[in-house]
Amino acid sequence: MAVELDVFVGNTTIMDEEVYQLWLDGYTVNDAVKVRMAGGVLDECEANQDVLLSDTMDQYRTFQMCERLLQSPAKLANQLLFQIPPHRQTMLIERYYAFDDAFVREVLGKKLSKGTKKDLDDIGAKTGVTLKSCRRQFDNFKRVFKVVEELKGPLVENIRQHFLLSDKLARDYAAIVFFANNRFETGKKKLQYLTFQDFAFCAGQLINNWTVGAVDNMAEDMDVDLDKEFLQELKELKVLITDKDLLDQHKSLVCTALRGKTKAFTEMEANFKNLSRGLVNIATKLTNTKDVRDFFIDLVEKFIEPCRSDRWTSADVKLYLTHYTNSAHILDSFKHQAVWDRYMGVIKSCIFKMYHD
Amino acid sequence: MPGKLKAKIVAGRHLPVMDRASDLTDAFVEVKFGNTTFKTDVFPKSLNPQWNSEWFKFEVDDEDLQDEPLQITVLDHDTYSANDAIGKVYIDIDPLLCAEAASVISGWFPIYDTIHGIRGEINVLVKVELFNDLNRFRQSSCGVKFLCTTSIPRGYRAAMVHGFVEELVVNEDPEYQWIDRIRTPRASNEARQRLISLMSGELQRKIGLKVLEMGGNAVVGYLQCFDLEGESGLVVRAIGTACTLEKHSSGSLVNTHTHPNTAPASNACNSPSKDGKEPVFGEDLPSSSGPPTPFRILPTSSFSPPPFSPSKPCSRQSSSSDTDLSLTPKTDESQSGRRRPGIFLCPSSPVLSADSLSLPGSGSVGRGHSSGCRAITPPIPSFTHSDSALLRKSVSFTEDLLLAASGMGSGGSAGKEAGPLKTLLRQQTQTALEQRGASSSGLLLNAREFPFFTLTSFPPGFLVHVGGVVSARSVKLLDRIHNPDLIQSSRQSIVRMERKMTGRQRKSQDRLWNVTDEPETRDAWWEEIRQEIKSHAKALGCHAVVGYSENTSICEEVCILSASGTATILNPRYMREGCLDIGSTDHRFDDPSPPSCGFCHIPYDELNMPFPAQLTYCYNCRRQKVPDVLFTTIDLPAEAAVTGKGCLIQARLCRLKKKAQGEVNATAISNLLPFMEYELHTQLMNKLKLRSMNALFGLHIQISVGENMLLGLASATGVYLTALPAPGGIQIAGKTSGDLNNEQHIQSIQKRINDTIAKNKELHQINPPELTEEGVGSPIPEPRHRSRLFRSHSESSDEVSELDLSHGKKDAFVLEIDDTDAVEDIHSLLIDASPPTGFYTCNTETMPGIYNWTTAVQMFTSVRVLRLSNANLSNQSLNKIFTDLCENLLKSFYFKLRSNIPCCLCHLNFTVAVPEEELIQVSVTAVAMTFDQDQTQERFITKGGNETEEQLQFPLELCADSSSTNTQTSSKFSGVPENTIVSSRVSSLENCSPLTEGRPRSLRSSRSFGGSSVTMVKMTPLSFLPGTRIIKYLGIINMFFIRETTSLREEGGVSGFLHSFIAEVFAMVRAHVAALGGNAVVSYSMKDCVLMENPNKNQAQCLINVSGDAVICVRETDQEPMTSMTNIGQSCTADGAT
């Protein structure tokens, strides 16, 4: 005696959010049943294991049928097969495109290619995310990447419109796309302490300030590429470290402003030239694609690590960078105020975010 | 040339990729009606083509408009090879033909392919211009409303109920034609779909004609069914109740006698038949003071109409000379006498009468009794070889005829009455079409002949008394269609199908010598059954049968025909004169019984009851007698006084039978049937008692036949009618009193039963007012009988055990405790779990005791198939398996719908089938309706006060608000956080937090978010949607789909296959309703779900037939139709599919 067939179809498609999450997380039906039983759902309704199994299978089937639609969410809204109230559609899409921070951290900045996809089982093993879920997340990244690659206009807005995602999630995807496109190195050991949200924030800063889209809202090029002209102009900042007078002047201005305001003043004073050289060098090298990729590692090596070894607090960093940036405006012979602001604005907020106490 | 049909193809979207190279499709559309076809241009390289075609115009007969669907085929243009079909849409034009219904069909339809399922959508506009006046409609019946709803539709008033209409159409099944061997499965499926669409169109038109001739304007309770008889053909049949409906606003009561249409008609109706019948009936119905007439006794021979139709050599062409035909039944009568001598022995058995006592209130005179009788006397197979000269091979096994046997009493003159009745009845079976002249009288006779009503609920005052359930079954051997002469019965279809049916070339010849006309045979079969039903009703002292339905179960060449209904006395005020055989002075209609109990009062004569019953004075009014239990097939009348709540009660039964062929098989089945009916009845009765209830409503007994077993499933909603006496408990008795172990065992079982009863009483809130002995009237002192196992115990008796022992001796039916069967039976009785807290179940429209429904409804369909791996199962273990299957299904529903608590699963409709030897299939369609617990608590003290607001809120938001949210414009939607916050469940889950927190300024362009472009369409098997008002009935939805796959594994196995098919069917129903401008389907039902699979070949096929009424409904508080807003999205073209 065996159940040959068992289906349950509602006019309004019934979807249990807990089971949906288990499905998204790549649990097999049997594992999902175990998890649900452990969750005590059986007590709710005098059910038994068979009931739970049957329900889980039904739901999994529904999700599988829906998956095709979820991959192009606009279709979900005007398809006729499943009657799903709009707010439930939003939930389905949002969850389908949600990802594990641990997983995305591994993939961030990597080329979204077949090669990477082959490594997913390793990543899965490392992060504890099931392979099935890894695949879904990876395919989501790739799908979003492919779609927005060919579109004009603001990246975040494009993602939100095409995938009907929340603002937050759309921004995260923009970050992922941006990182994948510029191939930023994020996997080095020194960067391990950074979370995806740290990077996502930085990506947002870069997108908003350093891309073509930052200056021209409807530019032909997209938010994913850095503004080449700007990168070129960054070379001009070199004067801040090459011109000895300027460097000294800058230092004294900063030190004057900082004196007495922090315990780390002596370290700041001692390290000023080093740190300034580090930051300006990063700026001047950004025309090289290779150096763009190393942007974050450079920030850590050239700035964050020295500060941390001197036990600066976040407040110290903030204070220092604020005065460091502002003081440059007072330098008479320094003509590149606009570029400086555009550069330091991003650097400042990135470092704030990346500097963990 | 009375009509012009116009169609415009607007656009497509989400089309499948047909050209692998470009990942695109070059789509064009063929629009076909009748034999005319138009094509659109090819829209190259797009999955979202915009054809914006011209208006394609078809000039057609209105007859064709009724029969034919508009057929839209989407194809992929291919320069080098044949064009590939993407899929089709069939659009039923019928709703456009009714002035009151829809005026335009416009919307997105799923493009359906029988192999691939839904493949994209197409936007279509359809209009009809009718030119002529109603008088000219002869062949067509445009304008007659058809409603599946089995009550007078809301917003209407029945000015007149004309009565029963029926029709059936037969054709060859394309699947079984020789050509099927060479054509593709797709072509074969499409031929079938199309044929059935044509046949049901034709059927509807013919029924419409009958209605028009009766002077009606609508068919209510329209029930159409398909019998897939395999090689012997395809039968589409329908029954319904003809009415004259008036919009409620028209107000004042119409005097039925002055109704212009009907007055002359009723005269005509009376003239030919009156002489023969009226007096007979007149005698039947006088007050009980008169001497008992023979008619009150179950006349044996009236139950034995000819087991097969008296053949009509000249059948439909003849306008039936009465004399000629009346001869036939006479001979039959004599035959029946000869044939079954054994039967008459039964009533003499005292055991029997004791036994049959168990069934009194049920009124299932027929089934229960006879089965009881046969439980003792092995039934004599009453099948009769037909006179082969007349009937060819059609052999019928009319086990049902045995019914009469239990009846007390001899044949008598009533038997003879059956003769002329039958002859008259012949006439009506002849299709009205061919004999227009004769038909008017024939039709009216029909109404008179069968005072049947497919309605299940009635306006107040309509129902005077309810007798009980009447049912009849008969086993038939299907005969192959011998080149049937189909030309008359389905002329239209044939002409059109000719192309495909080259094998039908000989048909003109056939007409010359073929006398066995297939529809005639089927008609005759049903007439037999209906006749029997009518006799049963009469035996109960009733002149009408309500809640009437018919169904079949077919396995190979054996077919069980069943019909059942509730014998009643109706108030003639609402009927057309002559429709019912009522003596105008009948006292029973002047009966001032209060409406809350009047219908419970016995319609039959107390001193001369059709069966021994235990009568008491009505507990409500104390003036009239009531039975101790009441079984009915109708809904609980709204005005009925009920104590507590009701619940679903099911009896389930499996019986093995040997595999056999032909007549042997049919005999075996008809021998088993009475046992099954008896067992089912016993189970129902016991379960009713166990729940401390005394009446069943919505009783539906289905017996399904398979190759090696029979399945029986009886479902009903049990309630405690205040007017009826409290049910006695259930008493267990052992045969031997000496054994101490036994005693203990009995006691422990008895305790369990008593505990269960007490628990159920509490659960269903049954606290009837205590009554003193004197008040109870005088129960008729009869031995309390009980079934084989249990003896019911009336409350009036105090001593328990001793009394029982004595009864034990009397009854000869004693529970032997070492009888494992008996123990099993008790266990199975107790195994039925009551629904968990917060759930109620019923198979009727609503649940007594629950009034404050919210607008949240969730309709669902569930199918489960069980494979019996062990071939050597016993009846007992089969029963257990079957019972568990049903119970587990219910448990699954509770679990799945737990978020809707507190809710009631209404209209739980179980259908069983044995699709293959080792398979049991159960399909259920029902609706979960949420209600407001708080208000309920004011009325009743419930234990389950643990419902949090959260739980209450969830379903509310899911269903109710969804319809309103989707009316908001899309831009608004995205900016409305309430949508996500409303459900506290949703927002409480961590993963949802992004939704609720930050989307403050997203001004999403409406382009990408087509979220509101799909109208929410609610579906429900009930005739209403709570909290809403139906403002318009748009037309009947009657759809038939076939789906086939040759890649079963890839589609997720049978479950995956059926799951998506059911979802697709829902989608197509919703799309059609939305295109008609509607927002809901009421009285939805899935009539058939036939699944065939062959996993080894990786193949499966499934047929589904659904029906319902498309409506526009508005919130009770609103004035404006919701659709005016929800339809906005309809016209928007494809978008967002990048």
Side-chain angles (χ1 to χ4, degrees), chain B residues 765-781:
Chain B
Q765 295 147 5
I766 296 170
N767 309 304
E770 293 293 325
L771 286 163
T772 52
E773 275 303 307
E774 310 91 83
V776 182
S778 55
I780 288 159

Side-chain angles (χ1 to χ4, degrees), chain A residues 1-19 21 24-25 36 40-48 50-65 68-69 71-95 98-99 147 151 156-158 160-169 171, chain B residues 13-14 108-110 118 121 834-837 839 858-870 881 888 891-898 901 919 954 957-959 962 965-966 973 979-980 986 989 991-992 994-995 997-999 1001-1005 1007-1011 1013-1019 1054-1056 1058-1060 1062-1064 1066-1067 1070-1071 1091 1093 1095 1135-1138:
Chain A
M1 190 192 72
V3 175
E4 178 94 356
L5 176 153
D6 180 15
V7 296
F8 178 100
V9 190
N11 180 38
T12 303
T13 308
I14 295 183
M15 293 171 165
D16 185 303
E17 294 183 41
E18 186 202 347
V19 186
Q21 195 56 53
L24 290 173
D25 289 344
R36 295 183 78 186
V41 73
L42 286 187
D43 310 331
E44 269 182 52
C45 224
E46 302 170 21
N48 57 31
D50 290 341
V51 167
L52 205 53
L53 181 68
S54 146
D55 177 59
T56 312
M57 300 255 270
D58 256 328
Q59 304 252 3
Y60 267 52
R61 255 197 319 269
T62 309
F63 301 141
Q64 271 150 24
M65 284 191 259
R68 187 179 51 83
L69 298 166
Q71 288 168 359
S72 42
K75 275 189 190 167
L76 189 65
N78 56 22
Q79 53 83 34
L80 303 175
L81 187 56
F82 299 103
Q83 179 157 271
I84 306 169
H87 72 276
R88 301 282 288 175
Q89 293 180 13
T90 314
M91 182 278 293
L92 290 176
I93 296 167
E94 195 74 7
R95 295 255 193 116
F99 46 78
V147 167
L151 290 175
V156 176
E157 195 55 31
N158 280 342
R160 202 166 54 197
Q161 283 198 12
H162 274 87
F163 293 93
L164 309 179
L165 300 178
S166 67
D167 194 58
K168 170 82 173 68
L169 200 53
R171 283 179 195 287
Chain B
R13 69 183 181 194
H14 308 159
W108 288 100
F109 291 89
I118 290 179
E121 289 124 35
S834 38
T837 315
F839 274 106
Q858 170 68 56
M859 191 279 293
F860 61 88
T861 289
S862 183
V863 182
R864 210 171 265 200
V865 177
L866 213 60
R867 182 174 289 279
L868 310 165
S869 49
N870 185 358
I881 288 169
N888 286 337
K891 277 183 196 157
S892 270
F893 301 157
Y894 302 143
F895 182 74
K896 276 188 188 287
L897 299 162
R898 65 194 185 284
I901 286 177
L919 300 181
F954 185 60
E957 150 272 327
L958 202 161
C959 299
S962 61
T965 42
N966 86 347
F973 164 74
N979 280 339
T980 50
V986 174
L989 287 156
N991 279 338
C992 257
L995 284 184
E997 67 185 37
R999 300 166 52 187
R1001 63 209 152 74
S1002 65
L1003 282 167
R1004 182 167 298 157
S1005 80
R1007 183 194 157 265
S1008 70
F1009 201 91
S1013 72
V1014 180
T1015 311
M1016 278 286 185
V1017 176
K1018 290 187 179 189
M1019 288 162 76
V1054 238
S1055 294
L1058 189 63
H1059 192 141
S1060 50
I1062 293 176
E1064 281 165 356
F1066 284 179
R1070 287 191 303 255
L1091 180 74
E1093 49 159 338
D1135 59 39
T1138 50

Side-chain angles (χ1 to χ4, degrees), chain A residues 100-264:
Chain A
D100 290 305
D101 280 1
F103 172 79
V104 73
R105 191 59 191 78
E106 295 295 320
V107 183
L108 198 62
K110 284 191 180 142
K111 202 172 168 189
L112 299 174
S113 64
K114 288 228 169 68
T116 316
K117 196 167 181 182
K118 273 179 196 150
D119 300 336
L120 287 183
D121 39 359
D122 292 339
I123 298 174
K126 188 176 168 190
T127 56
V129 179
T130 61
L131 184 59
K132 199 165 163 269
S133 178
C134 288
R135 291 223 175 100
R136 171 183 60 85
Q137 297 180 36
F138 185 81
D139 289 341
N140 283 346
F141 299 159
K142 208 169 151 181
R143 195 175 318 113
V144 173
F145 185 89
K146 268 182 93 172
V147 167
V148 296
E149 205 177 26
E150 293 155 13
L151 290 175
K152 299 171 189 173
L155 182 59
V156 176
E157 195 55 31
N158 280 342
I159 292 173
R160 202 166 54 197
Q161 283 198 12
H162 274 87
F163 293 93
L164 309 179
L165 300 178
S166 67
D167 194 58
K168 170 82 173 68
L169 200 53
R171 283 179 195 287
D172 285 350
Y173 268 92
I176 293 163
V177 169
F178 184 73
F179 267 68
N181 189 59
N182 291 292
R183 311 274 304 281
F184 287 108
E185 177 59 65
T186 64
K188 284 273 158 40
K189 202 164 177 218
K190 283 176 179 165
L191 296 177
Q192 283 307 314
Y193 78 98
L194 292 170
T195 66
F196 168 72
Q197 283 309 325
D198 294 336
F199 283 118
F201 175 82
C202 298
Q205 291 296 313
L206 266 64
I207 291 167
N208 286 336
N209 298 297
W210 288 6
T211 58
V212 189
V215 278
D216 183 353
N217 221 335
M218 279 294 128
E220 184 69 10
D221 221 331
M222 302 136 289
D223 280 350
V224 283
D225 289 330
L226 294 175
D227 183 356
K228 290 270 162 24
E229 269 177 51
F230 166 67
L231 297 181
Q232 211 60 45
E233 286 166 4
L234 283 178
K235 287 194 179 298
E236 311 289 340
L237 300 181
K238 198 155 184 118
V239 68
L240 280 175
I241 47 170
T242 48
D243 186 327
K244 186 87 172 60
D245 288 348
L246 212 53
L247 185 61
D248 288 337
Q249 213 181 334
H250 195 187
K251 181 182 173 181
S252 68
L253 279 171
V254 172
C255 288
T256 315
L258 288 174
R259 192 184 310 273
K261 288 187 181 158
T262 168
K263 284 177 191 166

